[in-house]
Amino acid sequence: MYGMAAVLTADVLQDEVAVSLARVVAAANARAREAGVDLRQSLVSITQQSFDGGLIWRVNYGPRDYVSRRGGDFIVEVDPTSASVKRVLRGQ
């Protein structure tokens, strides 16, 4: 699945959540790469959180082989309206 090009239909491009999430993931991936995170070896999870009437997406990069491991996650919080990174956390 990696490296495969996909043609996005007009329906997908009109889906505001899908497009916003794609921008969020791209911004988070760029920050993770800068920090030396191997994206292909990461288990990625995404959650949406609300605060003070706004939303933020939290993109978590954890080890794929997480059994018997604690911490080590790399977390990027991104504002979906601007796709700007708001906070970066690294698990212990």
Side-chain angles (χ1 to χ4, degrees), residues 59-70:
V59 183
N60 188 87
Y61 301 87
R64 281 198 183 272
D65 182 20
Y66 58 86
V67 177
S68 301
R69 288 185 66 173
R70 289 185 51 190

Side-chain angles (χ1 to χ4, degrees), residues 13-83:
L13 294 174
Q14 290 177 3
D15 183 330
E16 291 180 28
V17 174
V19 172
S20 175
L21 189 53
R23 293 176 61 219
V24 164
V25 171
N29 283 351
R31 183 57 67 92
R33 273 190 217 97
E34 289 172 7
V37 174
D38 184 349
L39 301 180
R40 290 183 184 258
Q41 295 302 314
S42 295
L43 181 64
V44 180
S45 61
I46 304 167
T47 56
Q48 187 181 59
Q49 298 179 332
S50 61
F51 67 98
D52 297 330
L55 294 174
I56 197 130
W57 287 96
R58 178 178 269 199
V59 183
N60 188 87
Y61 301 87
R64 281 198 183 272
D65 182 20
Y66 58 86
V67 177
S68 301
R69 288 185 66 173
R70 289 185 51 190
D73 289 9
F74 187 80
I75 301 163
V76 183
E77 292 182 347
V78 181
D79 179 341
T81 58
S82 62

